[in-house]
Amino acid sequence: MSQADGLLVFTLVILILLSAQFSAMETAFSSANKIKLRNLANDGNEKAEKVLKILEDFDHFLSTVLIGNNIVNISAATIATVLFTHLYGGRGATVSTIVMTVLILIFGEITPKSIAKMMPERFAMQTCGLVRFLEIVLAPLSWLFSGW
């Protein structure tokens, strides 16, 4: 494996971790108990207040997360196809499809969603800053797609 291939593998790992982050955020925010969050906010927890603020416009949140997750997953699939085609020639696209389907399902979807479901309020509060940042950065795409 060349240095360029190593960089592609490193990039794939980062993209799968980002996919996991998006999936976990989606589950955490959609599963969070608003009553628990309101009680925490009433007790002065600023992060609980921020989560509740994000949840006020759940459609915008969901659009942001889905756009981000799709960008990450499509990028990962594309990079994997380049890598596996380099490594396996004509069979590379097939190998890439199989490997990435398994990796994204296990590490980018199922596992992070299961973990976030166990502690949704905690996870939502830990990631509310990131969510707000992504809502701002991805706002033009979110606006564009919400028009459809």
Side-chain angles (χ1 to χ4, degrees):
M1 187 178 331
S2 70
Q3 188 174 9
D5 292 341
L7 181 59
L8 291 176
V9 170
F10 175 76
T11 303
L12 281 174
V13 170
I14 298 301
L15 290 170
I16 291 170
L17 289 173
L18 288 170
S19 178
Q21 183 71 35
F22 280 111
S23 295
M25 288 187 306
E26 178 186 356
T27 297
F29 278 81
S30 63
S31 301
N33 183 320
K34 288 183 183 179
I35 295 170
K36 282 184 186 179
L37 289 169
R38 276 195 198 93
N39 287 336
L40 290 169
N42 289 338
D43 290 340
N45 187 318
E46 291 179 19
K47 289 190 175 192
E49 285 181 42
K50 289 178 183 180
V51 171
L52 289 168
K53 181 83 171 148
I54 290 167
L55 291 174
E56 285 176 11
D57 191 357
F58 187 78
D59 288 344
H60 181 67
F61 160 77
L62 189 58
S63 176
T64 299
V65 170
L66 293 176
I67 290 167
N69 204 17
N70 275 283
I71 290 170
V72 166
N73 288 342
I74 291 167
S75 298
T78 302
I79 290 170
T81 300
V82 169
L83 174 66
F84 286 111
T85 300
H86 178 253
L87 296 174
Y88 297 106
R91 296 177 301 185
T94 302
V95 173
S96 174
T97 300
I98 294 167
V99 169
M100 291 309 294
T101 297
V102 171
L103 289 177
I104 289 175
L105 278 174
I106 293 172
F107 299 108
E109 295 290 334
I110 296 168
T111 302
K113 286 182 178 192
S114 296
I115 292 169
K117 184 73 175 162
M118 289 188 279
M119 48 185 174
E121 296 82 19
R122 180 175 164 199
F123 193 86
M125 288 188 294
Q126 288 174 346
T127 60
C128 63
L130 175 61
V131 168
R132 188 65 194 122
F133 171 76
L134 291 169
E135 285 183 331
I136 293 166
V137 170
L138 296 175
L141 289 174
S142 184
W143 175 82
L144 178 69
F145 291 123
S146 68
W148 259 288

